[in-house]
Amino acid sequence: MTNQYDIIIVGGGLVGLSLAALLASSSETKSLKIALIEADKLSLDDSDQADTRSIALAYRSRMIYERRGLWPEIEEKSCPITDIHVSQQGSFGTTRLHAVDHQIDALGYVIKSHQLKTILLAFLQRQHSVTLIQCANVQAIDWIDNQRVVSYKYANQTNTLVAQLVVLAGGMQSELHQKLAFDSQTTAYGQSAIVATINHEKPHQHVAYERFTADGAVALLPLGPNVSALIWTVSDQRLALLSLTDADFLVQLQQQFGYRLGKFMATTRRQSFPICQRLINEPF
C-alpha cells in the first residue's frame, strides 16, 4: 500500500464517510487519492442495535446527495417530513410548516444513523480512489517537508501516511483530540439528549413534532409506520429517566408530549448524549 495521498480523513463516522463519498463522486475531486482511517471496525451490517440514533437530513442535504448519485439508496431507507408542528406546553399557540407551501416534496428526511452509515460505506468500498483503513488508531500528526505525516497503529504495528491535507472527523471527544492537545473551550449546558425509537398508536402522517416544555424540548420525527425517532432534551438531574422501565418511561414521555400521536406503545433502548459547545482555537 502506498503511503502518499492527496487527502487523509481521520474518523469513519457520518461526517468522515460523507466527506469521502462526496469527494470521490465529484467530477472536480474524484481523481484525488483519499485515505480514511477509522479506529473501529467498519461494518456493512445495517441492523446495528447498539446505536439507536436517527438523523434528520434537510432538503439541502438531499440535493447534495442527489447530485452525487447517492440519494436513491438513502431515500429507500428514509422517511420524509412533509409537515412540522411546533408547540409549547401550557400554551394554545402552534407553528406549522408545510412542504407544499415551498413547492418541494419534503422539508427533510429521517433515517437511522447506522443505515446511512452503511449506505455511505458500501459506496466507498466501490471507489478505487478511496482506501479504507479500519481498526487503526492514529498516534500522531506531524508537519514534515510541507506535508502532513499521519502515524497510526494497526495490529501493534506503526504505519505512516502522507498528504497535503488531513481532515479530523473523529469528533471532539476522540482520543486524537486529547493527544494533539488542542486549545479548546467547552461550555456545558447541564442538559443531555435522550434518544430512542418510539412506537405509537396513531400514524404520524409524516409530521415532525417539536414541543417545548419547562425542562427542555421534546422532538418526535417520523421514521416508519407508527414509529418516530425521539430526541428528548432534559436537565442532567433527570437522567434517571434512563433507568426507568419501558412502561414508566413512556408514561413520563406521554405527560410531556401529550396525545397527538395517541398512546405511546413501546420504546427501544434509550441512550443519552451530553449537550455542550466546544470551540477549537487554531489547532495547528
Side-chain angles (χ1 to χ4, degrees), residues 86-125:
V86 183
S87 63
Q88 182 170 331
Q89 191 177 41
S91 173
F92 290 106
T94 60
T95 298
R96 299 173 187 265
L97 305 174
H98 309 287
V100 66
D101 292 340
H102 301 275
Q103 293 81 49
I104 55 178
D105 297 332
L107 295 168
Y109 300 83
V110 185
I111 184 172
K112 292 181 179 179
S113 296
H114 62 80
Q115 290 180 326
L116 178 56
K117 187 175 180 179
T118 298
I119 292 169
L120 295 170
L121 178 59
F123 172 81
L124 288 174
Q125 289 185 337

mmCIF file of all heavy atoms in Angstrom, residues 86-125:
data_model
loop_
_atom_site.group_PDB
_atom_site.id
_atom_site.type_symbol
_atom_site.label_atom_id
_atom_site.label_comp_id
_atom_site.label_asym_id
_atom_site.label_seq_id
_atom_site.Cartn_x
_atom_site.Cartn_y
_atom_site.Cartn_z
ATOM 1 N N VAL A 86 -44.850 22.752 15.750
ATOM 2 C CA VAL A 86 -44.111 23.244 16.920
ATOM 3 C C VAL A 86 -45.112 23.777 17.929
ATOM 4 O O VAL A 86 -46.002 24.576 17.586
ATOM 5 C CB VAL A 86 -43.112 24.361 16.523
ATOM 6 C CG1 VAL A 86 -42.302 24.803 17.742
ATOM 7 C CG2 VAL A 86 -42.193 23.890 15.408
ATOM 8 N N SER A 87 -44.967 23.361 19.180
ATOM 9 C CA SER A 87 -45.893 23.807 20.228
ATOM 10 C C SER A 87 -45.140 24.014 21.532
ATOM 11 O O SER A 87 -43.974 23.623 21.665
ATOM 12 C CB SER A 87 -47.014 22.775 20.434
ATOM 13 O OG SER A 87 -46.470 21.540 20.886
ATOM 14 N N GLN A 88 -45.811 24.623 22.477
ATOM 15 C CA GLN A 88 -45.239 24.850 23.805
ATOM 16 C C GLN A 88 -46.217 24.370 24.847
ATOM 17 O O GLN A 88 -47.409 24.700 24.804
ATOM 18 C CB GLN A 88 -44.926 26.335 24.021
ATOM 19 C CG GLN A 88 -44.273 26.625 25.365
ATOM 20 C CD GLN A 88 -43.750 28.045 25.460
ATOM 21 O OE1 GLN A 88 -43.387 28.641 24.440
ATOM 22 N NE2 GLN A 88 -43.683 28.588 26.662
ATOM 23 N N GLN A 89 -45.711 23.595 25.785
ATOM 24 C CA GLN A 89 -46.562 23.051 26.834
ATOM 25 C C GLN A 89 -47.201 24.180 27.636
ATOM 26 O O GLN A 89 -46.539 25.134 28.037
ATOM 27 C CB GLN A 89 -45.730 22.147 27.753
ATOM 28 C CG GLN A 89 -46.548 21.320 28.723
ATOM 29 C CD GLN A 89 -45.654 20.407 29.541
ATOM 30 O OE1 GLN A 89 -44.574 20.798 29.974
ATOM 31 N NE2 GLN A 89 -46.084 19.170 29.745
ATOM 32 N N GLY A 90 -48.521 24.105 27.819
ATOM 33 C CA GLY A 90 -49.238 25.122 28.566
ATOM 34 C C GLY A 90 -49.680 26.295 27.729
ATOM 35 O O GLY A 90 -50.263 27.256 28.248
ATOM 36 N N SER A 91 -49.433 26.248 26.417
ATOM 37 C CA SER A 91 -49.808 27.339 25.528
ATOM 38 C C SER A 91 -50.686 26.809 24.401
ATOM 39 O O SER A 91 -50.533 25.678 23.952
ATOM 40 C CB SER A 91 -48.564 28.008 24.947
ATOM 41 O OG SER A 91 -48.912 28.962 23.975
ATOM 42 N N PHE A 92 -51.622 27.649 23.923
ATOM 43 C CA PHE A 92 -52.522 27.230 22.844
ATOM 44 C C PHE A 92 -51.916 27.453 21.462
ATOM 45 O O PHE A 92 -52.347 26.867 20.484
ATOM 46 C CB PHE A 92 -53.856 27.993 22.943
ATOM 47 C CG PHE A 92 -54.694 27.589 24.118
ATOM 48 C CD1 PHE A 92 -54.805 28.413 25.220
ATOM 49 C CD2 PHE A 92 -55.359 26.371 24.117
ATOM 50 C CE1 PHE A 92 -55.580 28.041 26.310
ATOM 51 C CE2 PHE A 92 -56.132 25.983 25.201
ATOM 52 C CZ PHE A 92 -56.239 26.823 26.303
ATOM 53 N N GLY A 93 -50.936 28.316 21.344
ATOM 54 C CA GLY A 93 -50.384 28.657 20.045
ATOM 55 C C GLY A 93 -49.509 27.553 19.465
ATOM 56 O O GLY A 93 -48.858 26.790 20.188
ATOM 57 N N THR A 94 -49.508 27.441 18.144
ATOM 58 C CA THR A 94 -48.646 26.486 17.444
ATOM 59 C C THR A 94 -48.063 27.146 16.198
ATOM 60 O O THR A 94 -48.609 28.117 15.674
ATOM 61 C CB THR A 94 -49.411 25.219 17.010
ATOM 62 O OG1 THR A 94 -50.478 25.596 16.124
ATOM 63 C CG2 THR A 94 -49.978 24.477 18.206
ATOM 64 N N THR A 95 -46.953 26.595 15.746
ATOM 65 C CA THR A 95 -46.363 26.993 14.467
ATOM 66 C C THR A 95 -46.342 25.774 13.564
ATOM 67 O O THR A 95 -45.932 24.693 13.996
ATOM 68 C CB THR A 95 -44.929 27.518 14.657
ATOM 69 O OG1 THR A 95 -44.963 28.679 15.490
ATOM 70 C CG2 THR A 95 -44.305 27.870 13.319
ATOM 71 N N ARG A 96 -46.782 25.952 12.328
ATOM 72 C CA ARG A 96 -46.838 24.830 11.396
ATOM 73 C C ARG A 96 -46.118 25.193 10.101
ATOM 74 O O ARG A 96 -46.300 26.291 9.575
ATOM 75 C CB ARG A 96 -48.296 24.451 11.087
ATOM 76 C CG ARG A 96 -49.098 24.012 12.319
ATOM 77 C CD ARG A 96 -50.572 23.835 11.954
ATOM 78 N NE ARG A 96 -51.391 23.577 13.117
ATOM 79 C CZ ARG A 96 -51.742 22.357 13.542
ATOM 80 N NH1 ARG A 96 -51.309 21.304 12.869
ATOM 81 N NH2 ARG A 96 -52.494 22.199 14.598
ATOM 82 N N LEU A 97 -45.326 24.273 9.622
ATOM 83 C CA LEU A 97 -44.620 24.429 8.354
ATOM 84 C C LEU A 97 -45.033 23.291 7.428
ATOM 85 O O LEU A 97 -45.175 22.142 7.870
ATOM 86 C CB LEU A 97 -43.100 24.398 8.569
ATOM 87 C CG LEU A 97 -42.523 25.409 9.567
ATOM 88 C CD1 LEU A 97 -41.034 25.142 9.770
ATOM 89 C CD2 LEU A 97 -42.751 26.826 9.085
ATOM 90 N N HIS A 98 -45.201 23.612 6.129
ATOM 91 C CA HIS A 98 -45.684 22.613 5.174
ATOM 92 C C HIS A 98 -44.808 22.628 3.926
ATOM 93 O O HIS A 98 -44.541 23.699 3.347
ATOM 94 C CB HIS A 98 -47.133 22.886 4.783
ATOM 95 C CG HIS A 98 -48.059 23.075 5.956
ATOM 96 N ND1 HIS A 98 -48.469 22.023 6.750
ATOM 97 C CD2 HIS A 98 -48.621 24.199 6.473
ATOM 98 C CE1 HIS A 98 -49.271 22.487 7.705
ATOM 99 N NE2 HIS A 98 -49.371 23.808 7.558
ATOM 100 N N ALA A 99 -44.371 21.456 3.506
ATOM 101 C CA ALA A 99 -43.526 21.351 2.317
ATOM 102 C C ALA A 99 -44.236 21.880 1.082
ATOM 103 O O ALA A 99 -43.617 22.506 0.217
ATOM 104 C CB ALA A 99 -43.107 19.897 2.106
ATOM 105 N N VAL A 100 -45.529 21.644 1.003
ATOM 106 C CA VAL A 100 -46.279 22.052 -0.183
ATOM 107 C C VAL A 100 -46.229 23.567 -0.372
ATOM 108 O O VAL A 100 -46.276 24.068 -1.508
ATOM 109 C CB VAL A 100 -47.739 21.557 -0.094
ATOM 110 C CG1 VAL A 100 -48.492 22.240 1.048
ATOM 111 C CG2 VAL A 100 -48.467 21.747 -1.415
ATOM 112 N N ASP A 101 -46.103 24.318 0.718
ATOM 113 C CA ASP A 101 -46.039 25.775 0.616
ATOM 114 C C ASP A 101 -44.746 26.246 -0.047
ATOM 115 O O ASP A 101 -44.664 27.382 -0.523
ATOM 116 C CB ASP A 101 -46.148 26.413 2.001
ATOM 117 C CG ASP A 101 -47.529 26.214 2.622
ATOM 118 O OD1 ASP A 101 -48.483 25.937 1.863
ATOM 119 O OD2 ASP A 101 -47.641 26.333 3.856
ATOM 120 N N HIS A 102 -43.750 25.370 -0.069
ATOM 121 C CA HIS A 102 -42.451 25.724 -0.655
ATOM 122 C C HIS A 102 -42.202 24.976 -1.965
ATOM 123 O O HIS A 102 -41.084 24.978 -2.473
ATOM 124 C CB HIS A 102 -41.338 25.420 0.349
ATOM 125 C CG HIS A 102 -41.480 26.156 1.642
ATOM 126 N ND1 HIS A 102 -41.014 27.442 1.828
ATOM 127 C CD2 HIS A 102 -42.076 25.799 2.822
ATOM 128 C CE1 HIS A 102 -41.290 27.839 3.066
ATOM 129 N NE2 HIS A 102 -41.935 26.867 3.682
ATOM 130 N N GLN A 103 -43.242 24.316 -2.476
ATOM 131 C CA GLN A 103 -43.168 23.578 -3.739
ATOM 132 C C GLN A 103 -42.060 22.527 -3.741
ATOM 133 O O GLN A 103 -41.339 22.347 -4.729
ATOM 134 C CB GLN A 103 -42.986 24.520 -4.939
ATOM 135 C CG GLN A 103 -44.172 25.414 -5.234
ATOM 136 C CD GLN A 103 -44.215 26.642 -4.347
ATOM 137 O OE1 GLN A 103 -43.215 27.344 -4.201
ATOM 138 N NE2 GLN A 103 -45.374 26.921 -3.758
ATOM 139 N N ILE A 104 -41.910 21.837 -2.615
ATOM 140 C CA ILE A 104 -40.949 20.736 -2.532
ATOM 141 C C ILE A 104 -41.658 19.501 -1.975
ATOM 142 O O ILE A 104 -42.732 19.601 -1.377
ATOM 143 C CB ILE A 104 -39.739 21.095 -1.643
ATOM 144 C CG1 ILE A 104 -40.189 21.545 -0.248
ATOM 145 C CG2 ILE A 104 -38.883 22.159 -2.299
ATOM 146 C CD1 ILE A 104 -39.034 21.857 0.689
ATOM 147 N N ASP A 105 -41.038 18.347 -2.180
ATOM 148 C CA ASP A 105 -41.653 17.092 -1.749
ATOM 149 C C ASP A 105 -41.652 16.939 -0.241
ATOM 150 O O ASP A 105 -42.576 16.359 0.335
ATOM 151 C CB ASP A 105 -40.918 15.892 -2.370
ATOM 152 C CG ASP A 105 -41.008 15.876 -3.882
ATOM 153 O OD1 ASP A 105 -42.008 16.403 -4.424
ATOM 154 O OD2 ASP A 105 -40.077 15.348 -4.528
ATOM 155 N N ALA A 106 -40.585 17.403 0.397
ATOM 156 C CA ALA A 106 -40.457 17.229 1.844
ATOM 157 C C ALA A 106 -39.546 18.307 2.406
ATOM 158 O O ALA A 106 -38.669 18.826 1.713
ATOM 159 C CB ALA A 106 -39.901 15.840 2.169
ATOM 160 N N LEU A 107 -39.766 18.634 3.673
ATOM 161 C CA LEU A 107 -38.909 19.597 4.354
ATOM 162 C C LEU A 107 -37.611 18.941 4.816
ATOM 163 O O LEU A 107 -36.611 19.611 5.035
ATOM 164 C CB LEU A 107 -39.640 20.175 5.563
ATOM 165 C CG LEU A 107 -40.890 21.010 5.235
ATOM 166 C CD1 LEU A 107 -41.698 21.277 6.494
ATOM 167 C CD2 LEU A 107 -40.501 22.313 4.556
ATOM 168 N N GLY A 108 -37.632 17.631 4.966
ATOM 169 C CA GLY A 108 -36.462 16.880 5.390
ATOM 170 C C GLY A 108 -36.763 15.403 5.371
ATOM 171 O O GLY A 108 -37.871 14.974 5.008
ATOM 172 N N TYR A 109 -35.786 14.619 5.777
ATOM 173 C CA TYR A 109 -35.916 13.165 5.762
ATOM 174 C C TYR A 109 -35.243 12.606 7.005
ATOM 175 O O TYR A 109 -34.210 13.103 7.439
ATOM 176 C CB TYR A 109 -35.265 12.575 4.508
ATOM 177 C CG TYR A 109 -35.870 13.085 3.220
ATOM 178 C CD1 TYR A 109 -35.456 14.307 2.691
ATOM 179 C CD2 TYR A 109 -36.853 12.377 2.552
ATOM 180 C CE1 TYR A 109 -36.004 14.803 1.523
ATOM 181 C CE2 TYR A 109 -37.406 12.862 1.374
ATOM 182 C CZ TYR A 109 -36.984 14.076 0.869
ATOM 183 O OH TYR A 109 -37.545 14.572 -0.289
ATOM 184 N N VAL A 110 -35.822 11.547 7.576
ATOM 185 C CA VAL A 110 -35.286 10.935 8.789
ATOM 186 C C VAL A 110 -34.825 9.519 8.461
ATOM 187 O O VAL A 110 -35.547 8.750 7.823
ATOM 188 C CB VAL A 110 -36.347 10.894 9.912
ATOM 189 C CG1 VAL A 110 -35.723 10.349 11.210
ATOM 190 C CG2 VAL A 110 -36.930 12.283 10.148
ATOM 191 N N ILE A 111 -33.613 9.199 8.881
ATOM 192 C CA ILE A 111 -33.048 7.881 8.629
ATOM 193 C C ILE A 111 -32.250 7.456 9.854
ATOM 194 O O ILE A 111 -31.681 8.298 10.559
ATOM 195 C CB ILE A 111 -32.158 7.893 7.358
ATOM 196 C CG1 ILE A 111 -31.638 6.496 7.043
ATOM 197 C CG2 ILE A 111 -30.998 8.873 7.509
ATOM 198 C CD1 ILE A 111 -30.918 6.411 5.699
ATOM 199 N N LYS A 112 -32.236 6.173 10.128
ATOM 200 C CA LYS A 112 -31.422 5.679 11.232
ATOM 201 C C LYS A 112 -29.952 5.900 10.901
ATOM 202 O O LYS A 112 -29.518 5.655 9.780
ATOM 203 C CB LYS A 112 -31.705 4.202 11.473
ATOM 204 C CG LYS A 112 -33.114 3.937 12.012
ATOM 205 C CD LYS A 112 -33.346 2.454 12.271
ATOM 206 C CE LYS A 112 -34.740 2.219 12.839
ATOM 207 N NZ LYS A 112 -35.003 0.778 13.078
ATOM 208 N N SER A 113 -29.200 6.339 11.886
ATOM 209 C CA SER A 113 -27.806 6.709 11.654
ATOM 210 C C SER A 113 -26.996 5.542 11.100
ATOM 211 O O SER A 113 -26.199 5.700 10.176
ATOM 212 C CB SER A 113 -27.175 7.207 12.957
ATOM 213 O OG SER A 113 -27.805 8.391 13.395
ATOM 214 N N HIS A 114 -27.202 4.349 11.660
ATOM 215 C CA HIS A 114 -26.387 3.222 11.211
ATOM 216 C C HIS A 114 -26.750 2.794 9.790
ATOM 217 O O HIS A 114 -25.915 2.262 9.060
ATOM 218 C CB HIS A 114 -26.485 2.042 12.192
ATOM 219 C CG HIS A 114 -27.861 1.461 12.341
ATOM 220 N ND1 HIS A 114 -28.407 0.577 11.448
ATOM 221 C CD2 HIS A 114 -28.792 1.639 13.301
ATOM 222 C CE1 HIS A 114 -29.613 0.222 11.852
ATOM 223 N NE2 HIS A 114 -29.875 0.865 12.962
ATOM 224 N N GLN A 115 -27.985 3.058 9.346
ATOM 225 C CA GLN A 115 -28.353 2.723 7.975
ATOM 226 C C GLN A 115 -27.698 3.681 6.982
ATOM 227 O O GLN A 115 -27.217 3.258 5.920
ATOM 228 C CB GLN A 115 -29.875 2.755 7.824
ATOM 229 C CG GLN A 115 -30.571 1.621 8.559
ATOM 230 C CD GLN A 115 -32.081 1.654 8.392
ATOM 231 O OE1 GLN A 115 -32.687 2.731 8.306
ATOM 232 N NE2 GLN A 115 -32.700 0.495 8.362
ATOM 233 N N LEU A 116 -27.664 4.971 7.314
ATOM 234 C CA LEU A 116 -26.977 5.931 6.451
ATOM 235 C C LEU A 116 -25.491 5.611 6.391
ATOM 236 O O LEU A 116 -24.865 5.668 5.318
ATOM 237 C CB LEU A 116 -27.201 7.347 6.974
ATOM 238 C CG LEU A 116 -26.497 8.469 6.205
ATOM 239 C CD1 LEU A 116 -26.878 8.455 4.729
ATOM 240 C CD2 LEU A 116 -26.823 9.831 6.821
ATOM 241 N N LYS A 117 -24.921 5.254 7.520
ATOM 242 C CA LYS A 117 -23.502 4.906 7.562
ATOM 243 C C LYS A 117 -23.213 3.708 6.660
ATOM 244 O O LYS A 117 -22.214 3.685 5.930
ATOM 245 C CB LYS A 117 -23.098 4.598 9.004
ATOM 246 C CG LYS A 117 -21.610 4.374 9.207
ATOM 247 C CD LYS A 117 -21.303 4.211 10.688
ATOM 248 C CE LYS A 117 -19.808 3.991 10.912
ATOM 249 N NZ LYS A 117 -19.489 3.846 12.353
ATOM 250 N N THR A 118 -24.097 2.712 6.666
ATOM 251 C CA THR A 118 -23.903 1.526 5.838
ATOM 252 C C THR A 118 -23.953 1.866 4.353
ATOM 253 O O THR A 118 -23.159 1.362 3.554
ATOM 254 C CB THR A 118 -24.976 0.470 6.172
ATOM 255 O OG1 THR A 118 -24.839 0.081 7.542
ATOM 256 C CG2 THR A 118 -24.845 -0.758 5.284
ATOM 257 N N ILE A 119 -24.881 2.732 3.963
ATOM 258 C CA ILE A 119 -25.009 3.138 2.562
ATOM 259 C C ILE A 119 -23.735 3.853 2.095
ATOM 260 O O ILE A 119 -23.207 3.575 1.012
ATOM 261 C CB ILE A 119 -26.239 4.041 2.376
ATOM 262 C CG1 ILE A 119 -27.522 3.237 2.602
ATOM 263 C CG2 ILE A 119 -26.254 4.678 0.987
ATOM 264 C CD1 ILE A 119 -28.774 4.077 2.700
ATOM 265 N N LEU A 120 -23.242 4.764 2.899
ATOM 266 C CA LEU A 120 -22.033 5.508 2.539
ATOM 267 C C LEU A 120 -20.819 4.582 2.465
ATOM 268 O O LEU A 120 -19.992 4.691 1.551
ATOM 269 C CB LEU A 120 -21.786 6.625 3.553
ATOM 270 C CG LEU A 120 -22.836 7.737 3.598
ATOM 271 C CD1 LEU A 120 -22.593 8.641 4.796
ATOM 272 C CD2 LEU A 120 -22.838 8.540 2.312
ATOM 273 N N LEU A 121 -20.718 3.660 3.413
ATOM 274 C CA LEU A 121 -19.587 2.733 3.427
ATOM 275 C C LEU A 121 -19.605 1.827 2.199
ATOM 276 O O LEU A 121 -18.558 1.592 1.570
ATOM 277 C CB LEU A 121 -19.615 1.902 4.705
ATOM 278 C CG LEU A 121 -18.522 0.845 4.860
ATOM 279 C CD1 LEU A 121 -17.141 1.495 4.803
ATOM 280 C CD2 LEU A 121 -18.702 0.074 6.168
ATOM 281 N N ALA A 122 -20.785 1.322 1.840
ATOM 282 C CA ALA A 122 -20.895 0.456 0.665
ATOM 283 C C ALA A 122 -20.475 1.203 -0.597
ATOM 284 O O ALA A 122 -19.810 0.641 -1.480
ATOM 285 C CB ALA A 122 -22.323 -0.064 0.533
ATOM 286 N N PHE A 123 -20.847 2.478 -0.681
ATOM 287 C CA PHE A 123 -20.455 3.288 -1.830
ATOM 288 C C PHE A 123 -18.934 3.445 -1.885
ATOM 289 O O PHE A 123 -18.312 3.299 -2.948
ATOM 290 C CB PHE A 123 -21.127 4.655 -1.769
ATOM 291 C CG PHE A 123 -20.641 5.627 -2.807
ATOM 292 C CD1 PHE A 123 -21.121 5.577 -4.101
ATOM 293 C CD2 PHE A 123 -19.687 6.581 -2.493
ATOM 294 C CE1 PHE A 123 -20.655 6.462 -5.072
ATOM 295 C CE2 PHE A 123 -19.222 7.477 -3.441
ATOM 296 C CZ PHE A 123 -19.714 7.406 -4.743
ATOM 297 N N LEU A 124 -18.328 3.740 -0.753
ATOM 298 C CA LEU A 124 -16.889 3.971 -0.718
ATOM 299 C C LEU A 124 -16.100 2.710 -1.058
ATOM 300 O O LEU A 124 -15.019 2.787 -1.653
ATOM 301 C CB LEU A 124 -16.473 4.489 0.663
ATOM 302 C CG LEU A 124 -16.899 5.927 0.977
ATOM 303 C CD1 LEU A 124 -16.564 6.275 2.419
ATOM 304 C CD2 LEU A 124 -16.218 6.911 0.031
ATOM 305 N N GLN A 125 -16.625 1.570 -0.685
ATOM 306 C CA GLN A 125 -15.925 0.328 -0.982
ATOM 307 C C GLN A 125 -15.877 0.043 -2.487
ATOM 308 O O GLN A 125 -15.077 -0.777 -2.922
ATOM 309 C CB GLN A 125 -16.576 -0.843 -0.234
ATOM 310 C CG GLN A 125 -16.330 -0.803 1.267
ATOM 311 C CD GLN A 125 -16.872 -2.018 1.981
ATOM 312 O OE1 GLN A 125 -17.777 -2.692 1.498
ATOM 313 N NE2 GLN A 125 -16.336 -2.324 3.150
#
